Amino acid sequence: MTSRRKFLTTATMGGAAALAAPSVVKAQAPIKWRLQTYSGAPLGAHVIKPQIEAFNIAANGEMEIELFYADQLVPTGELFRALQNGTLDAVQSDDATMASPADISDFGGYFPFSSRYSLDLPVLFNRYGLNEIWQEAYDDIEGVEWLGAGAWDPLHIFTTNKKIEKLEDMAGLRVFGVPTAGRFLSRYGMIPVTVPWEDVEVALQTGELDGVAWCGFTEAYEVGWADICKYALLNNVTGAWCGSYFANSDSWAKVPPHLQELFKMSMDQSHYYRQVWYWGGEADLRVNGDKLELTTIPAEEWDTVVGDAAGFWDELASRNERSARVIEIFKKYRDTMEKAGVPYRYS
């Protein structure tokens, strides 16, 4: 009996000791990323900062993304190369502005008349096959993962001292803008000029630039360009900027699946935020904004620009097989929307 009590006492004490002993777990250091966006800080406060802050909270110490704005670590035109060599872990930009070597890069940013509204773009990617083509294109490039695309604002032209009321008014204007749209507008005499994003405001003030063809009303007011420019052309070249998220392949592979999924969810949240911010801002500032005089090129003359875009589309389609597939999708989507009529298309 005594020996049994001793056994029970010893067993109980041993169990208690085992339960009381602290387990030693070595905390794993969080994954650290450096992400640079195409946008300067005033714009970045809307197009990416809320997303990164939310992701860092939701990652719960397992991962932390440090956000850098336009040109802070590398020049915007070198974003792709910096991503590929691991200087950056991730990038938010359009393909053309970051000098992507992908054979569909010309469709990033503003591709003339490829969309009428911001919602057109995610539909083209998610329902008409652009997701698959972009994925295929970047699968051919080592070192970079394409994570997904979303829509930004429409493209308008804002000028400092010259009204644009007819096509010939574009001639000779030195304008900061996105590469593909700039190339298209150059056929009307407009001169695309590249300067660092942070230098645009000063370049407008000094006369180095005559305007910007980079954004819509929401951005022009948000970043201060509407304080310098006097005129805004209501005819827009396309309905939405096409921007994407990219990651360095090695950096992405080191992120566990649950955090990869969390990052993609935060991308979707960012796309939604931007849809609302831009859509509401464009309408409000056209009606209630008091910093810009609105001008319009007459419809019959602007129709010639729309017609010219058809040739521009065919030119791009002839470059390679993937570009031809993209253009075919644009044409199919345009025809579907026109046949659907109101509210998808009003003219």
Side-chain angles (χ1 to χ4, degrees):
M1 193 73 171
T2 302
S3 61
R4 183 169 180 273
R5 284 198 188 96
K6 285 182 178 179
F7 171 78
L8 289 172
T9 302
T10 304
T12 302
M13 290 174 63
L19 288 171
S23 57
V24 180
V25 178
K26 187 177 181 180
Q28 187 174 5
I31 298 167
K32 298 275 190 177
W33 264 19
R34 300 200 301 179
L35 185 156
Q36 185 169 313
T37 176
Y38 73 96
S39 70
L43 177 60
H46 290 279
V47 301
I48 193 167
K49 187 180 178 184
Q51 171 206 358
I52 300 306
E53 289 178 338
F55 175 85
N56 285 340
I57 292 170
N60 198 30
E62 294 182 68
M63 183 169 172
E64 183 179 341
I65 299 175
E66 188 175 6
L67 176 62
F68 296 90
Y69 297 106
D71 305 307
Q72 282 191 336
L73 289 182
V74 300
T76 298
E78 298 176 15
L79 281 174
F80 191 91
R81 185 168 58 183
L83 182 67
Q84 198 170 36
N85 66 26
T87 302
L88 297 170
D89 299 290
V91 163
Q92 180 202 48
S93 178
D94 72 87
D95 315 68
T97 299
M98 69 186 288
S100 165
D103 57 13
I104 43 78
S105 65
D106 282 322
F107 302 108
Y110 289 117
F111 189 72
F113 302 102
S114 55
S115 61
R116 180 75 63 87
Y117 309 117
S118 59
L119 194 55
D120 289 337
L121 196 76
V123 173
L124 281 160
F125 272 87
N126 293 306
R127 291 185 63 90
Y128 279 75
L130 293 190
N131 270 338
E132 289 75 15
I133 293 176
W134 256 249
Q135 188 65 63
E136 181 186 298
Y138 283 99
D139 283 347
D140 287 347
I141 300 173
E142 291 188 5
V144 170
E145 304 296 316
W146 175 77
L147 303 180
W152 272 249
D153 51 343
L155 174 59
H156 289 273
I157 301 171
F158 304 93
T159 52
T160 53
N161 294 307
K162 187 176 180 181
K163 292 183 183 182
I164 301 176
E165 297 177 301
K166 50 188 181 297
L167 279 180
E168 65 184 45
D169 292 336
M170 293 188 186
L173 291 177
R174 296 158 298 175
V175 172
F176 171 75
V178 178
T180 308
R183 200 162 68 243
F184 175 72
L185 291 170
S186 67
R187 64 181 58 203
Y188 308 107
M190 191 169 282
I191 303 168
V193 178
T194 301
V195 297
W197 192 93
E198 292 289 349
D199 294 344
V200 172
E201 185 171 343
V202 173
L204 288 169
Q205 291 171 329
T206 61
E208 180 184 351
L209 290 173
D210 298 304
V212 293
W214 167 269
C215 61
F217 284 75
T218 315
E219 282 191 26
Y221 272 80
E222 185 68 25
V223 305
W225 296 342
D227 296 324
I228 306 164
C229 292
K230 297 177 183 177
Y231 308 108
L233 179 64
L234 285 175
N235 309 76
N236 63 342
V237 180
T238 194
W241 188 77
C242 174
S244 288
Y245 288 82
F246 304 84
N248 172 273
S249 295
D250 290 339
S251 298
W252 185 246
K254 293 173 184 175
V255 177
H258 71 286
L259 289 178
Q260 288 185 352
E261 198 62 32
L262 180 64
F263 187 76
K264 289 183 176 181
M265 289 169 64
S266 75
M267 284 167 43
D268 287 339
Q269 183 274 336
S270 183
H271 295 328
Y272 177 74
Y273 178 99
R274 276 184 275 103
Q275 283 276 359
V276 175
W277 186 62
Y278 279 122
W279 184 258
E282 294 303 302
D284 178 58
L285 291 168
R286 287 194 203 192
V287 175
N288 301 311
D290 58 1
K291 296 180 179 179
L292 296 161
E293 180 181 334
L294 309 183
T295 68
T296 305
I297 294 175
E300 59 273 15
E301 191 173 12
W302 191 250
D303 285 345
T304 65
V305 179
V306 179
D308 290 343
F312 191 72
W313 284 22
D314 291 339
E315 176 189 325
L316 267 290
S318 68
R319 293 190 175 185
N320 56 69
E321 182 270 340
R322 263 197 287 259
S323 292
R325 284 159 55 197
V326 173
I327 293 297
E328 191 59 36
I329 287 172
F330 284 160
K331 290 180 177 179
K332 178 182 177 182
Y333 183 75
R334 178 195 61 196
D335 292 345
T336 299
M337 293 296 107
E338 288 176 353
K339 289 175 182 176
V342 176
Y344 299 96
R345 295 293 184 267
Y346 283 82
S347 60

